[in-house]
């Protein structure tokens, strides 16, 4: 007989036992009982009753087996349900479980007129970490991130992983937007310390967008969409920020997407132009090198500076194309200058995160150098300090490879954000470019002058050139000269200019500063 369930099996047993009642009646014991004593003087009955007792034991054993099977089945079903509703990497709820739990949360919020906040998280530069160190390190970083955030969230918060490096938090029973701000500030603080993973020291931050219930929406889909719009604003503000949703953001997002489409077209249709700003050497009063600066020649808006479109290029996957286009443009200029008989000019190119972490970059670089027949010694790569610090192992390998080719290496925006300078002795660096914020405040702030002086002393001890950026006045220029800088760059020396103008500027026999 096929046994479909424990209840059906028990019913079957009961029916079988009922069929033996007539036998027990003959023995004058009345209704069937498991505890009936077997008369010793009734051999026929004793034999039959013993058989029945054995059958009862078999039934008991089978019932026990079925109970265990059902318990095991329940455990398996719970495990399957857990896997279906949780992220396998972090153990956090997934989108499906989040939606299930939010049904009750929303119901309570409507009933009790409560405020809630939906916070959309996106890890800054996570894709680059994955590309450089591999998915195993990336997965460990996601787990560390989830653990740190979970520790600082209020009890009862709903924290879910939506996929990739995107997370969602629902904070319920919050009293005000200020409460939410204080919670998110704790999240930022929790992520400040470096993460040590497989002997690598990594820095990680997150951008966050917030939508408030019921102000910004009364359905989860609306709140998530609006928090995503706010997240884009946070990224545009410079990452490692949080922004609250505002109705006008949708219009701004729509406008940004229009600009993104125009930017893609601009790269394809060669609307990008390269301008060059000279760096002057104090020791010779002549040009040390020039920095390549990208400009967008918009057909309607005219010349647009890089800081107005570079963040969009990063956010929408255009930066790698822009970087390659810029490098090709610089090499083209170098070839033109050589054919015109202009003195050799070393040009500094800013390397973006996309290029710096691109595994194929060195191959592309060698190919372009061969194509334009330009010596690598005429190139200088500028890498911002934060990028070098966040990818210290990669920086060591990249800088070593650049130096082997003969390319000069400069650390840009030096002095911003990092107190430990020990990494410099381990990197093949040639130049430090003092962040212009120090230069701008140097005439009024003793502290900023002291920082500049310290950087100059550091550079001299490590045999590095030190350049002051953003020099706009004669007083700033003279101060940097007095403090011992190797050179200066800024409007006081020369504004960015076309390649042809730079060639004429270099040919001038007059001292430049």
């Amino acid at each position: 007989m096929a046994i479909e369930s424990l209840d059906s099996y028990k019913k079957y047993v009961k029916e079988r036992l009922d069929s033996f009642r007539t036998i027990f009646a003959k023995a004058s014991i009345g209704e069937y009982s498991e505890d009936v004593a077997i008369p010793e003087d009734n051999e026929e009955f004793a034999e039959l009753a013993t058989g029945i007792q054995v059958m009862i034991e078999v039934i008991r054993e089978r019932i026990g087996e079925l109970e265990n099977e059902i318990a095991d089945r329940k455990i398996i079903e719970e495990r399957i349900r857990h896997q279906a509703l949780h992220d396998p990497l972090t153990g956090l709820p997934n989108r499906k479980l989040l939606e299930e739990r939010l049904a009750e949360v929303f119901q309570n919020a409507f009933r009790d007129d409560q405020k809630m906040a939906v916070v959309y998280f996106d890890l800054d530069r996570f894709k680059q970490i994955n590309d450089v160190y591999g998915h195993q390190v990336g997965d460990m970083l996601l787990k560390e991130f989830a653990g740190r955030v979970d520790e600082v969230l209020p009890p009862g918060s709903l924290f879910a992983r939506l996929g990739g490096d995107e997370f969602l938090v629902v904070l319920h029973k919050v009293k005000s937007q200020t409460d939410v701000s204080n919670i998110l500030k704790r999240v930022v603080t929790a992520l400040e310390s470096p993460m040590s993973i497989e002997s690598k020291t990594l820095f990680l931050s997150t951008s966050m967008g917030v939508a408030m219930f019921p102000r910004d929406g009364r359905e989860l889909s609306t709140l998530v969409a609006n928090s995503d719009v706010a997240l884009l604003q946070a990224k545009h503000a410079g990452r490692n920020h949080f922004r609250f949703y505002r109705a006008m953001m949708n219009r701004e997002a729509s406008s940004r997407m229009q600009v993104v489409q125009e930017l893609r077209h601009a790269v394809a249709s060669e609307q990008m132009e390269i301008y060059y700003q000279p760096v002057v050497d104090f020791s010779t009063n002549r040009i040390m090198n020039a920095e390549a600066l990208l400009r967008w020649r918009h057909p309607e808006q005219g010349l647009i500076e890089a800081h107005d479109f570079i963040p969009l290029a990063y956010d929408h996957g255009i930066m790698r194309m822009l970087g390659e286009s810029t490098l090709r443009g610089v090499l083209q200029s170098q070839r033109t200058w050589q054919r015109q008989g202009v003195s050799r000019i070393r040009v500094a190119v800013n390397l973006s995160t996309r290029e710096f972490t691109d595994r194929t970059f060195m191959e592309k670089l060698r190919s372009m150098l061969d194509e334009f027949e330009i010596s690598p010694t005429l190139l200088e790569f500028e890498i911002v300090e934060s990028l070098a610090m966040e990818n210290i192992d990669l920086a060591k390998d990249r800088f070593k490879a650049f130096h082997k080719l003969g390319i000069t290496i400069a650390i840009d925006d030096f002095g911003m954000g990092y107190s430990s300078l020990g990494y410099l002795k381990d990197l093949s660096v040639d130049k430090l470019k003092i962040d212009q914020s120090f230069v701008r405040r140097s005439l009024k702030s003793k502290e900023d002058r002291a920082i500049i002086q310290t950087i100059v002393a550091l550079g001299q001890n490590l045999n590095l050139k030190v350049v002051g950026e953003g020099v706009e006045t004669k007083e700033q220029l003279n101060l940097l000269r007095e403090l011992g800088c190797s050179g200066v760059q800024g409007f006081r020396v020369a504004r960015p200019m076309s390649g042809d103008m730079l060639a004429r500027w270099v040919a001038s026999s007059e001292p430049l500063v």
Side-chain angles (χ1 to χ4, degrees):
M1 173 183 178
I3 306 301
E4 296 181 356
S5 67
L6 180 59
D7 290 339
S8 62
Y9 190 66
K10 287 182 177 179
K11 182 179 179 182
Y12 164 73
V13 170
K14 185 176 184 304
E15 291 173 352
R16 293 289 293 162
L17 292 177
D18 286 344
S19 68
F20 290 107
R21 285 180 179 174
T22 55
I23 299 175
F24 283 96
K26 290 180 181 180
S28 301
I29 62 173
E31 292 290 320
Y32 168 75
S33 170
E34 291 182 13
D35 299 326
V36 65
I38 301 176
E40 296 181 2
D41 57 348
N42 191 328
E43 182 178 346
E44 179 183 356
F45 175 77
E47 183 177 346
L48 182 59
T50 300
I52 294 172
Q53 196 70 34
V54 170
M55 185 189 72
I56 290 172
E57 293 300 323
V58 171
I59 292 171
R60 283 176 174 169
E61 184 177 345
R62 181 57 182 149
I63 289 173
E65 291 175 353
L66 282 173
E67 288 175 339
N68 289 336
E69 288 177 10
I70 290 173
D72 291 342
R73 189 180 305 155
K74 287 182 178 179
I75 292 173
I76 293 172
E77 289 173 352
E78 285 295 323
R79 186 179 299 134
I80 293 173
R81 173 174 168 77
H82 185 276
Q83 291 174 349
L85 298 176
H86 290 78
D87 170 49
L89 178 65
T90 63
L92 294 174
N94 59 18
R95 185 187 293 269
K96 184 176 180 181
L97 180 56
L98 177 70
E99 292 174 351
E100 285 185 11
R101 292 182 176 177
L102 277 178
E104 181 180 354
V105 172
F106 269 87
Q107 185 178 1
N108 294 337
F110 273 111
R111 184 191 63 215
D112 302 331
D113 193 26
Q114 298 172 347
K115 290 184 176 68
M116 291 193 308
V118 172
V119 188
Y120 208 126
F121 288 74
D122 184 89
L123 276 64
D124 299 331
R125 295 180 291 275
F126 179 74
K127 184 179 184 303
Q128 285 69 51
I129 293 175
N130 252 351
D131 290 344
V132 173
Y133 299 111
H135 291 285
Q136 183 175 351
V137 170
D139 287 349
M140 295 172 69
L141 203 61
L142 287 172
K143 291 174 68 175
E144 177 74 11
F145 168 83
R148 291 195 186 189
V149 173
D150 196 38
E151 285 182 358
V152 298
L153 292 177
S157 302
L158 299 181
F159 185 21
R161 183 186 179 201
L162 303 183
D165 63 331
E166 297 180 348
F167 295 79
L168 197 77
V169 167
V170 178
L171 305 170
H172 58 90
K173 297 182 181 179
V174 292
K175 295 180 180 179
S176 66
Q177 187 168 299
T178 301
D179 287 347
V180 179
S181 295
N182 291 335
I183 293 170
L184 298 186
K185 287 175 183 177
R186 292 202 296 270
V187 170
V188 171
T189 301
L191 298 174
E192 284 180 349
S193 57
M195 302 182 184
S196 298
I197 295 176
E198 289 192 346
S199 73
K200 299 175 179 63
T201 301
L202 303 175
F203 293 86
L204 187 64
S205 63
T206 183
S207 298
M208 297 165 276
V210 189
M212 299 293 293
F213 171 89
R215 183 189 69 192
D216 302 325
R218 291 177 171 268
E219 296 181 357
L220 177 61
S221 58
T222 303
L223 290 166
V224 170
N226 288 341
S227 64
D228 191 20
V229 170
L231 171 64
L232 290 177
Q233 288 284 346
K235 284 181 170 292
H236 190 63
R239 304 177 186 272
N240 200 26
H241 289 76
F242 58 86
R243 288 289 183 269
F244 286 87
Y245 173 78
R246 293 175 289 110
M248 65 179 295
M249 285 181 175
N250 281 322
R251 294 192 296 273
E252 293 172 354
S254 176
S255 176
R256 268 201 315 277
M257 290 311 299
Q258 175 65 28
V259 175
V260 169
Q261 294 304 319
E262 293 179 358
L263 184 56
R264 291 184 186 278
H265 175 71
V267 177
S269 59
E270 299 183 351
Q271 293 177 12
M272 295 296 167
E273 298 180 5
I274 301 175
Y275 278 60
Y276 298 91
Q277 186 171 35
V279 179
V280 174
D281 192 328
F282 274 138
S283 64
T284 63
N285 284 336
R286 306 299 299 169
I287 187 169
M288 180 187 294
N289 65 279
E291 180 180 356
L293 302 172
L294 199 59
R295 299 289 185 264
W296 177 6
R297 181 71 67 178
H298 194 282
E300 297 175 359
Q301 301 178 36
L303 203 62
I304 301 176
E305 295 193 4
H307 59 75
D308 289 326
F309 61 84
I310 289 296
L312 285 175
Y314 265 110
D315 291 339
H316 296 277
I318 309 174
M319 197 60 227
R320 190 169 291 174
M321 290 188 297
L322 275 180
E324 184 174 338
S325 174
T326 302
L327 184 54
R328 294 186 68 84
V330 167
L331 295 177
Q332 176 66 59
S333 293
Q334 295 275 20
R335 184 164 65 181
T336 299
W337 294 332
Q338 286 185 2
R339 290 174 177 175
Q340 293 174 345
V342 178
S343 300
R344 291 160 62 93
I345 307 170
R346 189 173 74 251
V347 176
V349 178
N350 289 276
L351 283 192
S352 70
T353 305
R354 300 289 190 271
E355 295 165 293
F356 191 67
T357 58
D358 184 359
R359 297 175 185 271
T360 65
F361 178 73
M362 290 300 299
E363 180 181 346
K364 294 176 183 176
L365 173 63
R366 291 190 181 95
S367 176
M368 281 190 275
L369 288 169
D370 291 340
E371 177 186 349
F372 289 97
E373 299 180 329
I374 298 300
S375 169
T377 58
L378 294 179
L379 278 181
E380 178 174 312
F381 285 151
E382 291 188 6
I383 294 92
V384 295
E385 183 184 12
S386 58
L387 177 57
M389 278 296 295
E390 290 170 0
N391 302 272
I392 191 69
D393 295 324
L394 177 66
K396 291 178 182 179
D397 294 338
R398 281 280 193 266
F399 290 2
K400 184 177 180 180
F402 292 154
H403 257 182
K404 190 174 181 180
L405 285 175
I407 296 172
T408 301
I409 305 299
I411 299 295
D412 200 12
D413 297 341
F414 189 78
M416 295 296 294
Y418 292 94
S419 58
S420 175
L421 303 177
Y423 71 92
L424 283 178
K425 64 181 176 61
D426 298 322
L427 297 178
S428 302
V429 176
D430 304 288
K431 182 189 294 183
L432 304 178
K433 299 190 75 175
I434 302 172
D435 187 80
Q436 59 183 310
S437 62
F438 298 119
V439 176
R440 187 168 56 248
R441 299 187 299 258
S442 61
L443 296 176
K444 296 182 179 179
S445 169
K446 293 181 179 180
E447 292 79 7
D448 287 291
R449 285 200 299 275
I451 290 174
I452 293 173
Q453 202 163 12
T454 300
I455 294 174
V456 170
L458 175 68
Q460 291 173 345
N461 288 330
L462 294 177
N463 198 29
L464 307 177
K465 291 186 178 297
V466 179
V467 170
E469 294 185 285
V471 178
E472 297 182 349
T473 68
K474 182 178 180 180
E475 290 76 17
Q476 290 172 345
L477 187 148
N478 290 335
L479 176 63
L480 293 178
R481 191 198 299 269
E482 291 172 8
L483 293 177
C485 282
S486 309
V488 287
Q489 177 182 353
F491 287 176
R492 181 63 181 83
V493 178
R495 290 180 176 272
M497 60 189 72
S498 68
D500 289 340
M501 288 183 63
L502 178 66
R504 292 194 295 270
W505 199 82
V506 170
S508 170
S509 59
E510 296 296 323
L512 302 178
V513 294

